[in-house]
Amino acid sequence: MEPVNYYVGIDVGTASVRAALVDQFGTVVVYADQPIQMWAPQPDHYEQSSDDIWTACCTVTKKVIQGIDIGQIRGIGFDATCSLVVLDNNFHPLAVNRDGNEVLPPGAPVGNGLSPDAANDLGLPSGIAVAASLIDAHAGGIGMIGASVKGYNLPCENQPITSRIAVICGTSSCHMGISDSPVFVPGVWGPYYSAMVPGFWLNEGGQSATGKLVEHVVQGHTAFPELQTKAAASAQSIYMYLNGHLDLIKKSLPVGFLTVDVHVWPDFHGNRSPLADLTLKGMVVGLTLSRGLDDLAVLYLATIQAIALGTRHIVETMQTAGHHVNTLFMCGGLSKNPLFVQMHADIMGMPIVLAKEVESVLMGAAILGACASKDFTSLQDAMEKMGRVGKIVLPNHKDKRFYDKKYQVFLKLVEHQQQYKTIMQST
């Protein structure tokens, strides 16, 4: 039996560093994470240490390669949230806080590529192939958008990769669509050449608050303590309990129809795409004096639907500008919620592909490392062979008329809000 090749993916987030050891077949073999320190010297000021982050990178890498012949580890890829590290002439971090003081003593050099010393810190051979760092949302797209879909009877089968859009949905969400030629989409970032997949132009839409919005709505309701108690008693998460509660109260109608009188505009934190208006606020229409768990469940459902309607707004704007999308590939924390995924499928009218490996961001980083190793002919070759399809969620087309009407209401909400602003500004 030939030895298996392995690749390391490292994801540097805001609160932690995560790493995964991934084999050549796209299986996450080992996973590890390590918290990152954060200092808050005064209100609304947050500081972190690049040395602390590098130490965390070393810790998680050593954990995932423990017991593996390092000769079989062929490449490493990094992704990170958007960040800035200021270095001196010796490539050591410089403090940029108010006092000019280091929050931690100097440690390993940062920003010099993967030098032999840095490779040694990670416990890897000095000659290992390294992929340039990438924004985490882009890595998430790479980790799933290029997976082979042969035999799944999806509309994107035998179609170019440009027929797919990757939705990375967590605290906030990103919508990654690629095209052969530049497409300029109002209110959507880009086009950026080779920013995600080499040779293609990337447009990136987004929603400023998605997972955070659901959390805000649920935790702010008066029935939240009751929800917590009942969810704990049934050994379920609060969201799985709410999903089950919605099934209990739906009666003979589909679950989604429970919001026939409740509508949400989800931009509680402004609109990133496609309106690009940070002054927009959230709206809820259809509130009653009810304070019970039924009311909380319906408001939770309406919020999820609003996020899905926002995705439809973004994708339709991209379609109008020149994109041709027929399948959504979804990853991130919210993709683990079956109600969230089904509502997106029903409201978009498109199938949704979930990755086999839930850690799609780490998979994307590892795929970058695999491409750097030259073990694959191209990034797309590595994406196709290492990215694997998991569950496929199909839309309920019989509910299309209801969701088309919900979408009309959704667009009316922002139209009215913009009119309110105009009236108030004229007084």
Side-chain angles (χ1 to χ4, degrees), residues 16 50 161 209 242 251 274 328 335 398 406 411-412 414 425:
S16 67
S50 52
I161 195 173
L242 282 172
K251 299 180 181 178
L328 272 69
S335 69
K398 60 181 172 52
K406 286 284 290 187
L411 297 178
K412 274 291 182 185
V414 72
Q425 290 169 356

Side-chain angles (χ1 to χ4, degrees), residues 30 32 56 84 99 104 121 190 200 209 215 223-224 243 289 306 334 344 380:
V30 188
L84 172 70
D99 300 324
L104 279 182
D121 288 343
F200 291 90
E215 177 186 283
F224 179 63
N243 292 352
L289 293 176
L334 286 174
H344 273 72
Q380 281 190 259

